[in-house]
Amino acid sequence: MIHSLFLINCSGDIFLEKHWKSVVSQSVCDYFFEAQEKAIDVENVPPVISTPHHYLISIYRDKIFFVSVIQSEVPPLFVIEFLHRVADTFQDYFGECSETAIKDNVVIVYELLEEMLDNGFPLATESNILKELIKPPTILRSVVNSITGSSNVGDTLPTGQLSNIPWRRAGVKYTNNEAYFDVVEEIDAIIDKSGSTVFAEIQGVIDSCIKLSGMPDLSLSFMNPRLLDDVSFHPCIRFKRWESERVLSFIPPDGNFRLISYRVSSQNLVAIPVYVKHMISFKENSSSGRFDVTIGPKQNMGKTVESVVMTVHMPKAVLNMNLTATQGSYTFDPVTKVLTWDVGKITPQKLPNLKGLVNLQSGAPKPEENPSLNIQFKIQQLAISGLKVNRLDMYGEKYKPFKGVKYITKAGKFQVRT
Amino acid sequence: MSGNGLSYSEQGGEAAPELGQEAATTTTPSIPAAFGLFCSDIKKNEDLKQMLESSKDSAKLDAMKRIVGMVAKGKNASELFPAVVKNVASKNIEIKKLVYVYLMRYAEEQQDLALLSISTFQRALKDPNQLIRASALRVLSSIRVPIIVPIMMLAIKEASSDLSPYVRKNAAHAIQKLYSLDPEQKEMLIEVIEKLLKDRSTLVAGSVVMAFEEVCPERIDLIHKNYRKLCNLLVDVEEWGQVVIIHMLTRYARTQFVSPWKVSFEKNFYESDEEQKEKDQKVKDTYTMDPDHRLLLQNTKPLLQSRNAAVVMAVSQLYWHLAPKSEAGIVSKSLVRLLRSNREVQYIVLQNIATMSIQRKGMFEPYLKSFYVRSTDPTMIKTLKLEILTNLANEANISTLLREFQTYVKSQDKQFAAATIQAIGRCATNITEVTDTCLNGLVCLLSNKDEIVVAESVVVIKKLLQTQPAHHGEIIKHMAKLLDNITVPVARASILWLIGEYCERVPKIAPDVLRKTAKSFTNEDDLVKLQILNLGAKLYLTNSKQTKLLTQYVLNLGKYDQSYDIRDRTRFIRQLIVPNEKSGALSKYAKKIFLAQKPAPLLESPFKDRDHFQLGTLSHTLNTQATGYLELSDWPEVAPDPSVRNVEIAESVPDSFGGFTCLLSSFFLICSDSEDTEKKKKGISKKITTSNSSDTESASSEESSSDSKSESDSKSDSEPGKSRYVILSVLGLQHSPTLVLYLTGHYPSLCWKRISSSLSLLQTARHFW
C-alpha cells in the first residue's frame, strides 16, 4: 500500500525518506513541489496528486509535509489517517513534531516507522505497543544509556501485540493509582453581522489520563447521556454496552488517550457565552478606516470567560493599525496582515475594548468586505452542554483508585462576521 | 551459534575490501564534480567500518545509528554492506534491529552478500519465541532477492500453520511480498491464502484479506465459506484491517446478492400502468434480503462509531453501495462528524459527500448548515463545501442559501468569490423560482470593484441568458456599457458574444460596440479578437447597411494578425459572408449558420459522473481509474446459490494449528449480570493463569487479556435476554496427549459443576505430564 514516505520542510528540503518496498527516487517529489508552487499557500496543496507512475498522498502537520508514495488503488483516507497517526506518534514520543525533533531522533523515528508499517501495511500503530517496542527518549534515559550502554529498544518483547487488547500493555504497575477524565467541549459557531447566530454546534471530547495497575475494567456513566447525539469511540469501548445501557465500559490503555468524541444533539440550543460589538469601516477615497471592537460575556452560568484571544485577517490593503486596547495587548503583523488581540479574562464591570485607526495603502480601492473576527476563549469548570459524569466504577482490580473529572469549555471554530 | 556467526564474519571480511573498491570505481566517474566530497565520504565510512569491526557493542551501535542516519537522509551507504551484514546475528537487540533496517534497504542492490544473512533468519524461524519467529519472517520476506524465493515459500508455508496467530499474520504479509517478487508463485500462494482465510483469529483476518486483494482478487469463490466468519469477526479486527475487509466485502456482496433498490426504482412506473402496478407489487413482495446481506449491514453499522476516519468512510461507502436506499441515511451523521477533522480528511470526505448529495439530496439536507463556509477554511475546502451547498439547494432552503452566498461573494478570497458566482448561476438554472432574483443579484455584482468578480458574473449571466432567451435587452445594454471598463478577456469575449447573438434585440448598441472594438482590435486578447470577428459577421448578416465597412475593416485587420487561428477564422468568415464569384454554395446559408438557435449550456456539478467509481477510493478522488482499481460489479439479476456460504458447524476447532498437538480447553459458562458471579469468574480465571504461567508465557498473557474482551464479544453474539457465554480461557500446551475439552453449559448449576470437574481434570493432567 504505502510505498515510501518523504518528510519535507517548508523550504522544500527532503530531510527524511523511508522506503518499505523497492526504493523510489526522490525525484518523484518534484511533482509535489510543482503542485505546491501552484497552490497559493500551504493549506491549499492538494492532498492527493497523480503522477505518471505513482500517486502522492500528503498531509501538512506542524510545518512539515508528510508525502507518501502510493503505487496502486488504496482508500486515500486510509493513508491520510495513517500519516496523521505517524505524526501523532512523533508528537507523543518527542513532545513536538518538528523538523529538529525528528532530525535529533532520526534513529528512533526510523525504528518507529519500521514497526508501524510492514510492506506498506500498518502493523503496530497503538502507542502502548510501540512504547514497549521502542522506549521514548527522556533526558534521564539518554544519560543512563550513555553511561551503561543500554539502548532505547525494549529488551522484553511486547506481548500486547498478541493479545485481544492490543491497546494496553501488560504488567502495568503504579504506586498511586489514578484515573482522570477531562470533558472538553468546543463551541463551533458563525455569528452574523447583526449578532444573530447563523450556525452553532457543540463538539466535545473526553480525554483521559489513566494510571492504573493491572487490568482494570472501568465503566463510566453519565447523568444525561441523551445529550450525546453522535459519538465516536476509542477501540477499547464495548459498543454493545453503550447501545443497551448508555454506559462506557472499557479496559483502558495505559496513559493519555482520547476516550470518546461526541456531538451534542442539534435540538438543544447552544448558549453562546460571549458577544462582540464591532464597528469596522473603511472610508471611501481616503487611506484610513476605523476599528472598534468590544467583547462582553453572556449567559455563562456564573463562570468567568478566560484566555480570550481575537484574531483577524485584515484585508490586503491594510498597511498598519494604530489601536489602543483597554485590556490586554495586541499585535499586527504587516506581512501576513493578521491582527491578534490577547484579551485575557473578561470582567463584566469593565468590558475590554480595542479601538483605533486603520492605515490603508493609498490609492488602493476600499476593501469591500469587513474581515471576520475569530474568537478563542476558555471557561473552566463548565461543560456548556450540561453533560455530567455520574460515576466511575472499577472492576477486576482490588485497590481503590483516585478518580477525577474536569470540565472545560472552549471556543472551537468561533467566527463573527462583520 | 556463536561459531556460525564467526564464520560469517570471516566471509564478510574477505568480501569487504573488494566491494568497497568496486563501489568506488563505479561511482566516481559518474559524479566527477563531487569528487572531493566523495573522498571525504570514503574516509568517514572507513571509520564506520572500523567501528563495526570493533568488539564493543556500544561502538557498533554508534556506527549503526550513524549509518541509519545516512539512510534516512537518502545518502548512499551501500558500500558498508559487508561490514554491516556481519552483525546480523548480534546479541544486542538494538544493533540487530538497525541491521535489519539496513538490510531491507540495501539487500536488493547487493544480492550475493545478502545471502550471507539468510541462515540466521532460517534459524530464527525455528525459535521457540513467537515474536522472534515473526520478526525473522518479516525480514526474510522483505529482502528482495529472487534466489531465495523457494526458501521464502517454504517459510511462508510453515508460518501459515504456526501456532501463534501473530506469526500467521506475518505470514499473510509475507505473501504479498513474495508475490511482488515473483508472480509465478501465484498458484502456491493462493493455496496459502485459502488456508489463512479459514483462520479464526482477528489478528490474521485483516492481513490475509489484504493479501487476497493483492494476489487474487478475482478468486471471489475463496470468500464464500469465510464470509459469515469475516462478518462476525469484523468488529474485533484492528482498524486498518477493517478498512480492507469492508472494501473487499462490498465487492463480494455486489456479486452475490440481488439489488435491494429494485423495489423503489420500479415504483416510478406505478401510476402509469395498472398491470405494471400489480407486477411491481409482486416484485416488492418477493424481494427479501438475503440474511447474509443483512448480516453484513448489521455488523458494519457499529463501526460508524470508529475513531478512524478511514473506517467510517469505508462503512459509509458500503452502505451507499449495498444498503436499501431508506437505510443509507444513517451514514450521513458520521460523515458530517468527520468534517471536524484535519483539512486532508475534510477534503476527501467532502468530495464523497458531494458525489452522494447529487443523487440523494435528502441524506444531507438536515446537515445543510454544517457545510457553511468559514473564512479561515482553505480554498479547496471552501469550494467543495460550496459545491455541496449548491447540490442541496431546493425551493425550501434557497432563500437562506442565497443570503449565505451573498456573504461569500464579498469574500477576500477572490477565487472563492468567483466559485460562489458560478454556484449562484447553477442554483438559478436548477430552481426556476429564483432565476430572476439570481439574475438581478448578478447584475448588481457587475458594478463590483473587483475585476474577477465582475468577469465571472458576466460569464454566468451569459450562460443564464442563454438558457432563458426571454427579453433581457436591459441586461445586455447594461453589459455593453461595462465593456469599456472590463479588461478580463473571458468576460469581454462573453459580452461580445451576447451582443452578437442577440444583436437584433439591441439594434442601436451593437454597431457602436463593433465600432469601439474595431478601434482596439490590435490590442485585444486572441479570445476577444475571435469574438469581435464573430460579432462583425453576425452584424454583417443582419444589419449590413450600417456595418458593412466596419466588418470589412475588422476582417482586414484579422487577415494580417499574428495568430494562425485568427487568420484562419478571418478567411473562413470572409468566404462565408462576403458574396463573391468564388464563394461556394454555403454562403447562402451563412445566416442560418451564424444565427442558428444554440443549445443552452448545462450548468452541472463536476461531481455528476463520479459515482461510477466506488466511493472512498483513490479513483473516485482523482476521477480517473487508478492502477489496480477493482471495479464494483452490477447487481446480479438472479442471486447465485446462497448455500455456498454454509459452513459445517463441526469446524469450530481451529485445525490450522497443524502438526502441533494442542490442548485446547475452552470453558463456556453462563453467568448472570450479578457481581457475585462476576467475582467468581475472575477468581477462576486467575487460578488458571497462575497454574499455567510456567507453561507458555504468551498463552497466559493472551488468556488473561482475552477474557474481558471476549466477554464483550460473547455479549454481542448472544441474543438479548438469553444466557451469555463467556469464554474464560484458551490454553495452548505442547507435548501432550491430545485432549480436547469442550464444556458447554446451558444452565448455571450444571456449568459450575463442569467447571470444577474440568479444573481437577486439568490438575491431574499436569501431574500426568
Side-chain angles (χ1 to χ4, degrees), chain B residues 457-467 479 494 497-498:
Chain B
S457 312
V458 168
V459 175
V460 173
I461 289 177
K462 183 204 117 189
K463 285 182 184 164
L464 276 182
L465 288 184
Q466 220 180 329
T467 50
M479 287 169 76
S494 290
W497 184 87
L498 261 183

Side-chain angles (χ1 to χ4, degrees), chain B residues 19-39:
Chain B
L19 194 103
Q21 272 171 14
E22 212 178 275
T25 46
T26 48
T27 37
T28 30
S30 61
I31 37 164
F35 190 77
L37 202 83
F38 193 76
C39 272

Side-chain angles (χ1 to χ4, degrees), chain A residues 113-166:
Chain A
L113 290 175
E114 190 64 50
E115 293 299 339
M116 291 180 86
L117 277 185
D118 180 20
N119 193 37
F121 190 76
L123 191 65
T125 49
E126 282 297 336
S127 106
N128 263 259
I129 292 184
L130 285 171
K131 282 191 175 158
E132 266 187 276
L133 285 166
I134 301 146
K135 299 214 173 71
T138 58
I139 296 172
L140 183 70
R141 185 167 299 126
S142 58
V143 171
V144 171
N145 283 353
S146 62
I147 295 165
T148 61
S150 61
S151 67
N152 278 326
V153 172
D155 37 8
T156 51
L157 292 154
T159 45
Q161 227 164 350
L162 311 170
S163 78
N164 272 329
I165 316 178

